[in-house]
Amino acid sequence: MSDALSTQVLVVGGGPGGYVAAIRAGQLGLKTVLVDADQLGGTCLIRGCIPSKALIHAASKFDALQQHVGEGALGIRLPQAPEFDLGGAVHWKNGIVQKLNGGVAGLLKKARVQVVSGWARFEDGKSCIVEGDGGTTTHIQAEHTIIATGSLPVELPGLPFGGNVLSSTDALALRALPKRLVVVGAGYIGMELGMAFRKMGAEVTVVEATDRMLPSYDADLVKPVRNWCRQHGMDIRFETKAVGYADGQLTVQTAAGEEQLACDKVLVTVGRRPNTQGWGLDRLVIDMNGPFIKVDDSCQTSMRGVWAIGDVVGEPMLAHKASAQGEMVAEIIAGQRRKFDPAAIPAVCFTEPEIAGAGLSPDEAHAAGLDVVVGNFPLAANGRALTMEAGESGFVRVTARRDNHLIVGVHAVGAHVSELTGAFVQAIEMGAVLEDLAGIIQVHPTMSESFHEAALAALGHAIHA
Amino acid sequence: MGIYTFKLPDIGEGIAEAEIAEWKIAVGDVVAEDQGIVDMLTDKAAVEIESPVGGTVKELCGEAGSMIAVGGPLVRIEVEGDGNTAVEDDGEPVETASSTAPADPETPVQIPTPAPQPAPAPAAAASQATPPATPTRQVSSGGLPRKAGEKPLASPAVRRRAQSLGIRLEYVPGSGPAGRITRQDLDAFVQGHQGAASPGAGRAAKPGVEEIRIIGLRRRIATAMQQAKQRIPHFAYVEEVDVTELEALRQHLNAQRRDDQAKLTMLPFLARALVIAVPEHPQVNARFDDEADVLHRYDALHIGIATQTPGGLVVPVMQHAEAKSLWDMAADIRRLAEAARSGKASREELTGSTLTITSLGAMGGIASTPVINAPEVGIIGVNKMVQRPMYLGGQLTPRLMMNLSSSFDHRIVDGWDAAALIQRIKGLLEHPATLFMEGEA
């Protein structure tokens, strides 16, 4: 069976870039078709952000309950140790994913976006063929095409995914807890999942080829995370390369030579690569930027009417960046003048404790030639943090230009600090100066007070520190 | 202690005045004897003037751009002894005046500018040792609202609105903290006024208008071009030339050239064609004194080579092209261009051309209307070589085509004659062997 469709906008990929672009295009009255071979929601919703955060939450809750066994804590005692059922947690997580997946479908429907399920293959920049289940094919002709094919986990040559070698996607679908897990790669995905599995009760070793973890954050921010790992028996091995896995043994190479690490599962999280294969990119005359599709500041590719958004166009590979680009491209197609010019793209690392930030770190500011003042406020001096057991070694740090006090970056490490990023990025996008932050009354007792105090510290007069 | 008034010495044959290009001293400086104190720009070249005495500078008798007559006071220096400023010297400090100041007929040293001059060639203008223009003052109190390259600061809503209006925020002054552009700032910019500025909020005014005095080489170019266009009825003629074979020859010769030979561009071939064609059209190789109604025709062919320099257009001269080989011409053109660009061309190298060639070929463009280098009567320019489909023998064939753009003084050169000259040049360039058939072509 073969169908033919003609549309104004064709969106390929139903992740947070693609579905947002399609919804916005539909809202703007553009006839829109979205093609996706998988469940709607993409990596973020199905295999990434949401499922990982669900499992991290379950793991954290289990870990917290364990504090109450025996002598207990906070005056709460559990008469017996809790048990962790990974299958049950995954089932719960799947329910969330399913709910959100259905929500996306509903939103697309509401915006009158036609969803075609199947694998798209481009014929040229304005047409593609979608092969659906059951041998159906749909020919789609479009005036504008938005490529939002996302990214895929990178495999290591000696550790192809399969069997006991897991990608992050595989790890989020495990039904039984591995006894011994080795995580390859100490980036944010590896550390988030590795710490979650440690909280669930697995013995976790992290091997990292370089000499540092979480390379996108500076040493001050990473230090509390390293401390947690040390306190919770996570073995972190730097300058160690994983080269192969067989019979429950991971072979690693260090300066001292080869070593075997016994483990049930190996989780490989060494990065993600843009998904540029298998959908006919070779049929499009599109300029590339290394492995990524090259786009300008309006996400237009070198082909007129062909746009690309999200992970496939480059770093940062973050769902919220993809969504912002998708929304923008839909508006441009609808005739609005837009360009992608955020002052900052915030990012969060859901480790223990969390690291959150937007804008430049002090080191990055110096490298950019800025003379900055830095204000730090420890969470240990924040009442709300103490009442939430979030006051250990965390802090909020504000970086501002010395000459005019413009906020150029805000970072924090500590429990629950991810929820502060809204305030951080808002300050930067609005062009706030230290005096603006100092002049805002924050609720007491909340952790937001730390942001206020960090700005005061940068001005030289923090009240509570 | 006395005052020594140093008067502008005679700095060249026939030079009656010179322009102050750049002072190297300031009032209060102590200068030594023979120390260079000022660059003077004549209509031929820049000349450094040295102090004849040592002492303390008391007064500069003009600023950059001022014209000083030969023999007029240039600088007054306090010296040991009596100095030279006697009672008969008017004793009054000469008013420092810019070139835009009204000329004072009572003050002999102040030459009004622009002074009526007998249409100097732009080439004659000389050296880029002088900056072409000197910014003086800002008319408005503000300039660009922020440093170059600094990202404008504005909330997302303001950025979005600016995008939708097609306004670049780089040009919008911000009145907020740290120069933040508020909604009101953008509205004010759109409405073209500064009403939203709050006093003392560090608001930069809208980009102002800069007054730039046109002095030095640029003034000379401006004067020459204005006079050339005002006085000379230009006749423009454009013809296309098939340079396929010529280009092949040029590349062949360049591939064979010795290390001591300059690379051949199109210009030596054009010069070579002129050497052959011009004697057949002698009226184009001339200088027209239109005040005396006399046309000076030359047997020699002194080709002006219009050259872009950092300071502006300069036209050094290849003397006696008729006596030079193709390679000599290539070397001459390269040497003259380098001398002009580095400001080292001598007065002789910048004067006396009888016909000028110009090239905008590197820039592209299909035709130009060159301005005659007065008092010459013709100028010929090459445009960019382009491969184009041409019908040749009934076949569509790719050929390398180049346009010749020319202008002639219609008072002296009739259109027919101009066309005949260009057609002759075309014939020579299209059959490059004829460029080298002395007396037979």
Side-chain angles (χ1 to χ4, degrees), chain A residues 196-215:
Chain A
F197 278 100
R198 179 72 198 112
K199 288 178 190 172
M200 293 174 199
E203 289 174 25
V204 177
T205 302
V206 178
V207 297
E208 165 60 43
T210 70
D211 62 354
R212 57 180 307 191
M213 68 163 68
L214 303 173

Side-chain angles (χ1 to χ4, degrees), chain B residues 239-271:
Chain B
E239 173 60 309
E240 60 180 3
V241 181
D242 183 338
V243 290
T244 313
E245 289 180 28
L246 181 62
E247 175 61 10
L249 174 65
R250 187 182 76 87
Q251 291 195 6
H252 171 74
L253 290 174
N254 272 336
Q256 307 279 323
R257 78 187 165 97
R258 299 191 306 268
D259 289 345
D260 61 342
Q261 290 175 315
K263 205 169 175 182
L264 291 169
T265 62
M266 270 294 160
L267 291 186
F269 292 97
L270 177 60

Side-chain angles (χ1 to χ4, degrees), chain A residues 331 337-338 429-431, chain B residues 153-154 159-160 163 166 180:
Chain A
E331 292 178 354
R337 289 196 203 183
R338 292 285 314 274
E429 287 289 355
M430 298 299 288
Chain B
L153 192 60
R159 300 206 295 269
R160 182 89 176 257
Q163 284 166 16
R180 185 164 67 211

Side-chain angles (χ1 to χ4, degrees), chain A residues 101-121:
Chain A
N101 172 249
V104 171
L107 293 169
L108 288 164
K109 193 175 173 187
K110 189 175 153 198
R112 296 192 180 83
V113 175
Q114 183 174 354
V115 177
V116 176
S117 183
W119 189 251
R121 182 175 290 275

